[in-house]
mmCIF file with all atom_site columns, all heavy atoms in Angstrom:
data_model
loop_
_atom_site.group_PDB
_atom_site.id
_atom_site.type_symbol
_atom_site.label_atom_id
_atom_site.label_alt_id
_atom_site.label_comp_id
_atom_site.label_asym_id
_atom_site.label_entity_id
_atom_site.label_seq_id
_atom_site.pdbx_PDB_ins_code
_atom_site.Cartn_x
_atom_site.Cartn_y
_atom_site.Cartn_z
_atom_site.occupancy
_atom_site.B_iso_or_equiv
_atom_site.pdbx_formal_charge
_atom_site.auth_seq_id
_atom_site.auth_comp_id
_atom_site.auth_asym_id
_atom_site.auth_atom_id
_atom_site.pdbx_PDB_model_num
ATOM 1   N N   . ILE A 1 1  ? 3.530  14.042 30.663 1.00 83.00 ? 1  ILE A N   1
ATOM 2   C CA  . ILE A 1 1  ? 3.524  13.175 29.493 1.00 83.00 ? 1  ILE A CA  1
ATOM 3   C C   . ILE A 1 1  ? 4.899  13.277 28.860 1.00 83.00 ? 1  ILE A C   1
ATOM 4   O O   . ILE A 1 1  ? 5.360  14.361 28.512 1.00 83.00 ? 1  ILE A O   1
ATOM 5   C CB  . ILE A 1 1  ? 2.435  13.605 28.488 1.00 83.00 ? 1  ILE A CB  1
ATOM 6   C CG1 . ILE A 1 1  ? 1.060  13.473 29.121 1.00 83.00 ? 1  ILE A CG1 1
ATOM 7   C CG2 . ILE A 1 1  ? 2.536  12.782 27.225 1.00 83.00 ? 1  ILE A CG2 1
ATOM 8   C CD1 . ILE A 1 1  ? -0.057 14.021 28.259 1.00 83.00 ? 1  ILE A CD1 1
ATOM 9   N N   . LEU A 1 2  ? 5.581  12.153 28.743 1.00 86.00 ? 2  LEU A N   1
ATOM 10  C CA  . LEU A 1 2  ? 6.904  12.114 28.133 1.00 86.00 ? 2  LEU A CA  1
ATOM 11  C C   . LEU A 1 2  ? 6.757  11.579 26.718 1.00 86.00 ? 2  LEU A C   1
ATOM 12  O O   . LEU A 1 2  ? 6.210  10.504 26.504 1.00 86.00 ? 2  LEU A O   1
ATOM 13  C CB  . LEU A 1 2  ? 7.846  11.221 28.939 1.00 86.00 ? 2  LEU A CB  1
ATOM 14  C CG  . LEU A 1 2  ? 8.069  11.631 30.397 1.00 86.00 ? 2  LEU A CG  1
ATOM 15  C CD1 . LEU A 1 2  ? 8.990  10.640 31.085 1.00 86.00 ? 2  LEU A CD1 1
ATOM 16  C CD2 . LEU A 1 2  ? 8.625  13.028 30.496 1.00 86.00 ? 2  LEU A CD2 1
ATOM 17  N N   . VAL A 1 3  ? 7.253  12.339 25.761 1.00 87.00 ? 3  VAL A N   1
ATOM 18  C CA  . VAL A 1 3  ? 7.166  11.959 24.359 1.00 87.00 ? 3  VAL A CA  1
ATOM 19  C C   . VAL A 1 3  ? 8.574  11.711 23.855 1.00 87.00 ? 3  VAL A C   1
ATOM 20  O O   . VAL A 1 3  ? 9.479  12.506 24.104 1.00 87.00 ? 3  VAL A O   1
ATOM 21  C CB  . VAL A 1 3  ? 6.491  13.087 23.533 1.00 87.00 ? 3  VAL A CB  1
ATOM 22  C CG1 . VAL A 1 3  ? 6.420  12.695 22.078 1.00 87.00 ? 3  VAL A CG1 1
ATOM 23  C CG2 . VAL A 1 3  ? 5.118  13.402 24.092 1.00 87.00 ? 3  VAL A CG2 1
ATOM 24  N N   . THR A 1 4  ? 8.779  10.600 23.160 1.00 89.00 ? 4  THR A N   1
ATOM 25  C CA  . THR A 1 4  ? 10.097 10.278 22.632 1.00 89.00 ? 4  THR A CA  1
ATOM 26  C C   . THR A 1 4  ? 9.961  9.572  21.288 1.00 89.00 ? 4  THR A C   1
ATOM 27  O O   . THR A 1 4  ? 8.922  9.003  20.978 1.00 89.00 ? 4  THR A O   1
ATOM 28  C CB  . THR A 1 4  ? 10.883 9.382  23.615 1.00 89.00 ? 4  THR A CB  1
ATOM 29  O OG1 . THR A 1 4  ? 12.163 9.135  23.066 1.00 89.00 ? 4  THR A OG1 1
ATOM 30  C CG2 . THR A 1 4  ? 10.171 8.074  23.873 1.00 89.00 ? 4  THR A CG2 1
ATOM 31  N N   . CYS A 1 5  ? 11.033 9.634  20.526 1.00 90.00 ? 5  CYS A N   1
ATOM 32  C CA  . CYS A 1 5  ? 11.079 8.909  19.258 1.00 90.00 ? 5  CYS A CA  1
ATOM 33  C C   . CYS A 1 5  ? 11.866 7.607  19.418 1.00 90.00 ? 5  CYS A C   1
ATOM 34  O O   . CYS A 1 5  ? 12.060 6.874  18.463 1.00 90.00 ? 5  CYS A O   1
ATOM 35  C CB  . CYS A 1 5  ? 11.677 9.779  18.164 1.00 90.00 ? 5  CYS A CB  1
ATOM 36  S SG  . CYS A 1 5  ? 13.368 10.266 18.508 1.00 90.00 ? 5  CYS A SG  1
ATOM 37  N N   . ARG A 1 6  ? 12.310 7.308  20.624 1.00 89.00 ? 6  ARG A N   1
ATOM 38  C CA  . ARG A 1 6  ? 13.084 6.098  20.909 1.00 89.00 ? 6  ARG A CA  1
ATOM 39  C C   . ARG A 1 6  ? 12.123 4.942  21.198 1.00 89.00 ? 6  ARG A C   1
ATOM 40  O O   . ARG A 1 6  ? 11.859 4.608  22.350 1.00 89.00 ? 6  ARG A O   1
ATOM 41  C CB  . ARG A 1 6  ? 13.995 6.315  22.112 1.00 89.00 ? 6  ARG A CB  1
ATOM 42  C CG  . ARG A 1 6  ? 14.910 7.492  22.006 1.00 89.00 ? 6  ARG A CG  1
ATOM 43  C CD  . ARG A 1 6  ? 16.049 7.140  21.096 1.00 89.00 ? 6  ARG A CD  1
ATOM 44  N NE  . ARG A 1 6  ? 17.000 8.236  21.082 1.00 89.00 ? 6  ARG A NE  1
ATOM 45  C CZ  . ARG A 1 6  ? 18.218 8.109  20.668 1.00 89.00 ? 6  ARG A CZ  1
ATOM 46  N NH1 . ARG A 1 6  ? 18.647 6.965  20.215 1.00 89.00 ? 6  ARG A NH1 1
ATOM 47  N NH2 . ARG A 1 6  ? 19.018 9.133  20.673 1.00 89.00 ? 6  ARG A NH2 1
ATOM 48  N N   . GLU A 1 7  ? 11.628 4.333  20.155 1.00 90.00 ? 7  GLU A N   1
ATOM 49  C CA  . GLU A 1 7  ? 10.641 3.261  20.317 1.00 90.00 ? 7  GLU A CA  1
ATOM 50  C C   . GLU A 1 7  ? 11.257 2.003  20.927 1.00 90.00 ? 7  GLU A C   1
ATOM 51  O O   . GLU A 1 7  ? 10.538 1.191  21.524 1.00 90.00 ? 7  GLU A O   1
ATOM 52  C CB  . GLU A 1 7  ? 10.010 2.934  18.971 1.00 90.00 ? 7  GLU A CB  1
ATOM 53  C CG  . GLU A 1 7  ? 9.204  4.077  18.410 1.00 90.00 ? 7  GLU A CG  1
ATOM 54  C CD  . GLU A 1 7  ? 8.660  3.790  17.015 1.00 90.00 ? 7  GLU A CD  1
ATOM 55  O OE1 . GLU A 1 7  ? 8.761  2.630  16.569 1.00 90.00 ? 7  GLU A OE1 1
ATOM 56  O OE2 . GLU A 1 7  ? 8.143  4.720  16.398 1.00 90.00 ? 7  GLU A OE2 1
ATOM 57  N N   . GLU A 1 8  ? 12.583 1.827  20.791 1.00 94.00 ? 8  GLU A N   1
ATOM 58  C CA  . GLU A 1 8  ? 13.221 0.633  21.319 1.00 94.00 ? 8  GLU A CA  1
ATOM 59  C C   . GLU A 1 8  ? 13.474 0.712  22.823 1.00 94.00 ? 8  GLU A C   1
ATOM 60  O O   . GLU A 1 8  ? 13.808 -0.285 23.453 1.00 94.00 ? 8  GLU A O   1
ATOM 61  C CB  . GLU A 1 8  ? 14.538 0.356  20.576 1.00 94.00 ? 8  GLU A CB  1
ATOM 62  C CG  . GLU A 1 8  ? 15.643 1.371  20.827 1.00 94.00 ? 8  GLU A CG  1
ATOM 63  C CD  . GLU A 1 8  ? 15.559 2.617  19.953 1.00 94.00 ? 8  GLU A CD  1
ATOM 64  O OE1 . GLU A 1 8  ? 14.588 2.778  19.193 1.00 94.00 ? 8  GLU A OE1 1
ATOM 65  O OE2 . GLU A 1 8  ? 16.483 3.448  20.046 1.00 94.00 ? 8  GLU A OE2 1
ATOM 66  N N   . TRP A 1 9  ? 13.322 1.897  23.448 1.00 92.00 ? 9  TRP A N   1
ATOM 67  C CA  . TRP A 1 9  ? 13.563 2.061  24.874 1.00 92.00 ? 9  TRP A CA  1
ATOM 68  C C   . TRP A 1 9  ? 12.381 1.553  25.680 1.00 92.00 ? 9  TRP A C   1
ATOM 69  O O   . TRP A 1 9  ? 11.231 1.696  25.284 1.00 92.00 ? 9  TRP A O   1
ATOM 70  C CB  . TRP A 1 9  ? 13.797 3.522  25.211 1.00 92.00 ? 9  TRP A CB  1
ATOM 71  C CG  . TRP A 1 9  ? 15.136 4.053  24.803 1.00 92.00 ? 9  TRP A CG  1
ATOM 72  C CD1 . TRP A 1 9  ? 16.074 3.437  24.035 1.00 92.00 ? 9  TRP A CD1 1
ATOM 73  C CD2 . TRP A 1 9  ? 15.660 5.330  25.138 1.00 92.00 ? 9  TRP A CD2 1
ATOM 74  N NE1 . TRP A 1 9  ? 17.156 4.244  23.872 1.00 92.00 ? 9  TRP A NE1 1
ATOM 75  C CE2 . TRP A 1 9  ? 16.934 5.426  24.542 1.00 92.00 ? 9  TRP A CE2 1
ATOM 76  C CE3 . TRP A 1 9  ? 15.199 6.394  25.869 1.00 92.00 ? 9  TRP A CE3 1
ATOM 77  C CZ2 . TRP A 1 9  ? 17.735 6.545  24.670 1.00 92.00 ? 9  TRP A CZ2 1
ATOM 78  C CZ3 . TRP A 1 9  ? 15.990 7.509  25.996 1.00 92.00 ? 9  TRP A CZ3 1
ATOM 79  C CH2 . TRP A 1 9  ? 17.254 7.585  25.407 1.00 92.00 ? 9  TRP A CH2 1
ATOM 80  N N   . SER A 1 10 ? 12.672 1.020  26.860 1.00 92.00 ? 10 SER A N   1
ATOM 81  C CA  . SER A 1 10 ? 11.595 0.626  27.774 1.00 92.00 ? 10 SER A CA  1
ATOM 82  C C   . SER A 1 10 ? 11.120 1.878  28.519 1.00 92.00 ? 10 SER A C   1
ATOM 83  O O   . SER A 1 10 ? 11.761 2.936  28.478 1.00 92.00 ? 10 SER A O   1
ATOM 84  C CB  . SER A 1 10 ? 12.111 -0.411 28.771 1.00 92.00 ? 10 SER A CB  1
ATOM 85  O OG  . SER A 1 10 ? 13.059 0.180  29.644 1.00 92.00 ? 10 SER A OG  1
ATOM 86  N N   . ALA A 1 11 ? 10.008 1.734  29.223 1.00 91.00 ? 11 ALA A N   1
ATOM 87  C CA  . ALA A 1 11 ? 9.475  2.862  29.997 1.00 91.00 ? 11 ALA A CA  1
ATOM 88  C C   . ALA A 1 11 ? 10.469 3.311  31.062 1.00 91.00 ? 11 ALA A C   1
ATOM 89  O O   . ALA A 1 11 ? 10.634 4.509  31.307 1.00 91.00 ? 11 ALA A O   1
ATOM 90  C CB  . ALA A 1 11 ? 8.140  2.473  30.637 1.00 91.00 ? 11 ALA A CB  1
ATOM 91  N N   . GLU A 1 12 ? 11.159 2.356  31.684 1.00 93.00 ? 12 GLU A N   1
ATOM 92  C CA  . GLU A 1 12 ? 12.144 2.698  32.722 1.00 93.00 ? 12 GLU A CA  1
ATOM 93  C C   . GLU A 1 12 ? 13.298 3.511  32.140 1.00 93.00 ? 12 GLU A C   1
ATOM 94  O O   . GLU A 1 12 ? 13.787 4.445  32.763 1.00 93.00 ? 12 GLU A O   1
ATOM 95  C CB  . GLU A 1 12 ? 12.683 1.427  33.396 1.00 93.00 ? 12 GLU A CB  1
ATOM 96  C CG  . GLU A 1 12 ? 11.664 0.691  34.239 1.00 93.00 ? 12 GLU A CG  1
ATOM 97  C CD  . GLU A 1 12 ? 10.759 -0.223 33.420 1.00 93.00 ? 12 GLU A CD  1
ATOM 98  O OE1 . GLU A 1 12 ? 11.083 -0.489 32.237 1.00 93.00 ? 12 GLU A OE1 1
ATOM 99  O OE2 . GLU A 1 12 ? 9.724  -0.652 33.947 1.00 93.00 ? 12 GLU A OE2 1
ATOM 100 N N   . GLU A 1 13 ? 13.748 3.140  30.946 1.00 93.00 ? 13 GLU A N   1
ATOM 101 C CA  . GLU A 1 13 ? 14.845 3.877  30.309 1.00 93.00 ? 13 GLU A CA  1
ATOM 102 C C   . GLU A 1 13 ? 14.417 5.296  29.937 1.00 93.00 ? 13 GLU A C   1
ATOM 103 O O   . GLU A 1 13 ? 15.203 6.243  30.069 1.00 93.00 ? 13 GLU A O   1
ATOM 104 C CB  . GLU A 1 13 ? 15.319 3.132  29.061 1.00 93.00 ? 13 GLU A CB  1
ATOM 105 C CG  . GLU A 1 13 ? 16.041 1.833  29.352 1.00 93.00 ? 13 GLU A CG  1
ATOM 106 C CD  . GLU A 1 13 ? 16.344 1.029  28.105 1.00 93.00 ? 13 GLU A CD  1
ATOM 107 O OE1 . GLU A 1 13 ? 15.524 1.017  27.164 1.00 93.00 ? 13 GLU A OE1 1
ATOM 108 O OE2 . GLU A 1 13 ? 17.428 0.426  28.069 1.00 93.00 ? 13 GLU A OE2 1
ATOM 109 N N   . ILE A 1 14 ? 13.198 5.455  29.487 1.00 91.00 ? 14 ILE A N   1
ATOM 110 C CA  . ILE A 1 14 ? 12.695 6.790  29.133 1.00 91.00 ? 14 ILE A CA  1
ATOM 111 C C   . ILE A 1 14 ? 12.623 7.662  30.380 1.00 91.00 ? 14 ILE A C   1
ATOM 112 O O   . ILE A 1 14 ? 13.054 8.825  30.370 1.00 91.00 ? 14 ILE A O   1
ATOM 113 C CB  . ILE A 1 14 ? 11.321 6.688  28.447 1.00 91.00 ? 14 ILE A CB  1
ATOM 114 C CG1 . ILE A 1 14 ? 11.473 5.993  27.082 1.00 91.00 ? 14 ILE A CG1 1
ATOM 115 C CG2 . ILE A 1 14 ? 10.681 8.056  28.289 1.00 91.00 ? 14 ILE A CG2 1
ATOM 116 C CD1 . ILE A 1 14 ? 10.167 5.627  26.432 1.00 91.00 ? 14 ILE A CD1 1
ATOM 117 N N   . ILE A 1 15 ? 12.113 7.128  31.465 1.00 90.00 ? 15 ILE A N   1
ATOM 118 C CA  . ILE A 1 15 ? 11.998 7.899  32.714 1.00 90.00 ? 15 ILE A CA  1
ATOM 119 C C   . ILE A 1 15 ? 13.387 8.232  33.257 1.00 90.00 ? 15 ILE A C   1
ATOM 120 O O   . ILE A 1 15 ? 13.635 9.357  33.707 1.00 90.00 ? 15 ILE A O   1
ATOM 121 C CB  . ILE A 1 15 ? 11.154 7.130  33.740 1.00 90.00 ? 15 ILE A CB  1
ATOM 122 C CG1 . ILE A 1 15 ? 9.703  7.056  33.243 1.00 90.00 ? 15 ILE A CG1 1
ATOM 123 C CG2 . ILE A 1 15 ? 11.225 7.781  35.108 1.00 90.00 ? 15 ILE A CG2 1
ATOM 124 C CD1 . ILE A 1 15 ? 8.822  6.119  34.025 1.00 90.00 ? 15 ILE A CD1 1
ATOM 125 N N   . ALA A 1 16 ? 14.325 7.286  33.181 1.00 91.00 ? 16 ALA A N   1
ATOM 126 C CA  . ALA A 1 16 ? 15.696 7.544  33.651 1.00 91.00 ? 16 ALA A CA  1
ATOM 127 C C   . ALA A 1 16 ? 16.356 8.640  32.814 1.00 91.00 ? 16 ALA A C   1
ATOM 128 O O   . ALA A 1 16 ? 17.060 9.504  33.351 1.00 91.00 ? 16 ALA A O   1
ATOM 129 C CB  . ALA A 1 16 ? 16.519 6.261  33.607 1.00 91.00 ? 16 ALA A CB  1
ATOM 130 N N   . ALA A 1 17 ? 16.133 8.619  31.507 1.00 91.00 ? 17 ALA A N   1
ATOM 131 C CA  . ALA A 1 17 ? 16.699 9.652  30.637 1.00 91.00 ? 17 ALA A CA  1
ATOM 132 C C   . ALA A 1 17 ? 16.094 11.015 30.965 1.00 91.00 ? 17 ALA A C   1
ATOM 133 O O   . ALA A 1 17 ? 16.796 12.031 30.978 1.00 91.00 ? 17 ALA A O   1
ATOM 134 C CB  . ALA A 1 17 ? 16.456 9.306  29.173 1.00 91.00 ? 17 ALA A CB  1
ATOM 135 N N   . TYR A 1 18 ? 14.802 11.032 31.254 1.00 90.00 ? 18 TYR A N   1
ATOM 136 C CA  . TYR A 1 18 ? 14.138 12.293 31.611 1.00 90.00 ? 18 TYR A CA  1
ATOM 137 C C   . TYR A 1 18 ? 14.717 12.854 32.909 1.00 90.00 ? 18 TYR A C   1
ATOM 138 O O   . TYR A 1 18 ? 15.023 14.036 33.005 1.00 90.00 ? 18 TYR A O   1
ATOM 139 C CB  . TYR A 1 18 ? 12.631 12.065 31.756 1.00 90.00 ? 18 TYR A CB  1
ATOM 140 C CG  . TYR A 1 18 ? 11.915 13.260 32.319 1.00 90.00 ? 18 TYR A CG  1
ATOM 141 C CD1 . TYR A 1 18 ? 11.701 14.391 31.538 1.00 90.00 ? 18 TYR A CD1 1
ATOM 142 C CD2 . TYR A 1 18 ? 11.476 13.274 33.633 1.00 90.00 ? 18 TYR A CD2 1
ATOM 143 C CE1 . TYR A 1 18 ? 11.062 15.501 32.054 1.00 90.00 ? 18 TYR A CE1 1
ATOM 144 C CE2 . TYR A 1 18 ? 10.836 14.375 34.153 1.00 90.00 ? 18 TYR A CE2 1
ATOM 145 C CZ  . TYR A 1 18 ? 10.632 15.482 33.367 1.00 90.00 ? 18 TYR A CZ  1
ATOM 146 O OH  . TYR A 1 18 ? 10.002 16.577 33.880 1.00 90.00 ? 18 TYR A OH  1
ATOM 147 N N   . HIS A 1 19 ? 14.900 11.997 33.915 1.00 89.00 ? 19 HIS A N   1
ATOM 148 C CA  . HIS A 1 19 ? 15.455 12.462 35.189 1.00 89.00 ? 19 HIS A CA  1
ATOM 149 C C   . HIS A 1 19 ? 16.931 12.831 35.052 1.00 89.00 ? 19 HIS A C   1
ATOM 150 O O   . HIS A 1 19 ? 17.412 13.713 35.762 1.00 89.00 ? 19 HIS A O   1
ATOM 151 C CB  . HIS A 1 19 ? 15.267 11.411 36.273 1.00 89.00 ? 19 HIS A CB  1
ATOM 152 C CG  . HIS A 1 19 ? 13.847 11.254 36.707 1.00 89.00 ? 19 HIS A CG  1
ATOM 153 N ND1 . HIS A 1 19 ? 13.120 12.272 37.280 1.00 89.00 ? 19 HIS A ND1 1
ATOM 154 C CD2 . HIS A 1 19 ? 13.006 10.198 36.629 1.00 89.00 ? 19 HIS A CD2 1
ATOM 155 C CE1 . HIS A 1 19 ? 11.905 11.860 37.544 1.00 89.00 ? 19 HIS A CE1 1
ATOM 156 N NE2 . HIS A 1 19 ? 11.798 10.591 37.154 1.00 89.00 ? 19 HIS A NE2 1
ATOM 157 N N   . GLY A 1 20 ? 17.664 12.187 34.146 1.00 89.00 ? 20 GLY A N   1
ATOM 158 C CA  . GLY A 1 20 ? 19.064 12.507 33.932 1.00 89.00 ? 20 GLY A CA  1
ATOM 159 C C   . GLY A 1 20 ? 19.279 13.828 33.220 1.00 89.00 ? 20 GLY A C   1
ATOM 160 O O   . GLY A 1 20 ? 20.372 14.386 33.248 1.00 89.00 ? 20 GLY A O   1
ATOM 161 N N   . GLN A 1 21 ? 18.243 14.343 32.602 1.00 88.00 ? 21 GLN A N   1
ATOM 162 C CA  . GLN A 1 21 ? 18.340 15.608 31.882 1.00 88.00 ? 21 GLN A CA  1
ATOM 163 C C   . GLN A 1 21 ? 18.740 16.743 32.820 1.00 88.00 ? 21 GLN A C   1
ATOM 164 O O   . GLN A 1 21 ? 19.502 17.634 32.438 1.00 88.00 ? 21 GLN A O   1
ATOM 165 C CB  . GLN A 1 21 ? 16.995 15.910 31.227 1.00 88.00 ? 21 GLN A CB  1
ATOM 166 C CG  . GLN A 1 21 ? 16.933 17.220 30.505 1.00 88.00 ? 21 GLN A CG  1
ATOM 167 C CD  . GLN A 1 21 ? 15.546 17.461 29.910 1.00 88.00 ? 21 GLN A CD  1
ATOM 168 O OE1 . GLN A 1 21 ? 14.668 16.608 29.958 1.00 88.00 ? 21 GLN A OE1 1
ATOM 169 N NE2 . GLN A 1 21 ? 15.353 18.627 29.359 1.00 88.00 ? 21 GLN A NE2 1
ATOM 170 N N   . SER A 1 22 ? 18.280 16.715 34.051 1.00 85.00 ? 22 SER A N   1
ATOM 171 C CA  . SER A 1 22 ? 18.608 17.789 34.993 1.00 85.00 ? 22 SER A CA  1
ATOM 172 C C   . SER A 1 22 ? 20.106 17.823 35.292 1.00 85.00 ? 22 SER A C   1
ATOM 173 O O   . SER A 1 22 ? 20.675 18.891 35.518 1.00 85.00 ? 22 SER A O   1
ATOM 174 C CB  . SER A 1 22 ? 17.818 17.639 36.283 1.00 85.00 ? 22 SER A CB  1
ATOM 175 O OG  . SER A 1 22 ? 18.201 16.455 36.960 1.00 85.00 ? 22 SER A OG  1
ATOM 176 N N   . HIS A 1 23 ? 20.761 16.651 35.283 1.00 83.00 ? 23 HIS A N   1
ATOM 177 C CA  . HIS A 1 23 ? 22.205 16.617 35.522 1.00 83.00 ? 23 HIS A CA  1
ATOM 178 C C   . HIS A 1 23 ? 22.961 17.301 34.384 1.00 83.00 ? 23 HIS A C   1
ATOM 179 O O   . HIS A 1 23 ? 23.907 18.050 34.615 1.00 83.00 ? 23 HIS A O   1
ATOM 180 C CB  . HIS A 1 23 ? 22.692 15.183 35.679 1.00 83.00 ? 23 HIS A CB  1
ATOM 181 C CG  . HIS A 1 23 ? 22.046 14.450 36.820 1.00 83.00 ? 23 HIS A CG  1
ATOM 182 N ND1 . HIS A 1 23 ? 22.175 14.833 38.128 1.00 83.00 ? 23 HIS A ND1 1
ATOM 183 C CD2 . HIS A 1 23 ? 21.246 13.358 36.829 1.00 83.00 ? 23 HIS A CD2 1
ATOM 184 C CE1 . HIS A 1 23 ? 21.505 14.022 38.897 1.00 83.00 ? 23 HIS A CE1 1
ATOM 185 N NE2 . HIS A 1 23 ? 20.919 13.108 38.141 1.00 83.00 ? 23 HIS A NE2 1
ATOM 186 N N   . VAL A 1 24 ? 22.540 17.045 33.161 1.00 83.00 ? 24 VAL A N   1
ATOM 187 C CA  . VAL A 1 24 ? 23.176 17.670 32.001 1.00 83.00 ? 24 VAL A CA  1
ATOM 188 C C   . VAL A 1 24 ? 22.955 19.183 32.035 1.00 83.00 ? 24 VAL A C   1
ATOM 189 O O   . VAL A 1 24 ? 23.873 19.971 31.779 1.00 83.00 ? 24 VAL A O   1
ATOM 190 C CB  . VAL A 1 24 ? 22.626 17.056 30.691 1.00 83.00 ? 24 VAL A CB  1
ATOM 191 C CG1 . VAL A 1 24 ? 23.172 17.795 29.483 1.00 83.00 ? 24 VAL A CG1 1
ATOM 192 C CG2 . VAL A 1 24 ? 22.964 15.580 30.612 1.00 83.00 ? 24 VAL A CG2 1
#
């Protein structure tokens, strides 16, 4: 379950941000 406060993001953007976290 991915929880975010970014209501303007699409589901694809939220998932991409989650997967990009490992790079950071």
Side-chain angles (χ1 to χ4, degrees):
I1 297 174
L2 301 178
V3 179
T4 182
C5 62
R6 305 283 185 162
E7 295 176 10
E8 68 276 5
W9 285 9
S10 68
E12 292 83 14
E13 290 173 324
I14 293 170
I15 293 169
Y18 171 74
H19 289 298
Q21 177 181 355
S22 65
H23 300 298
V24 174

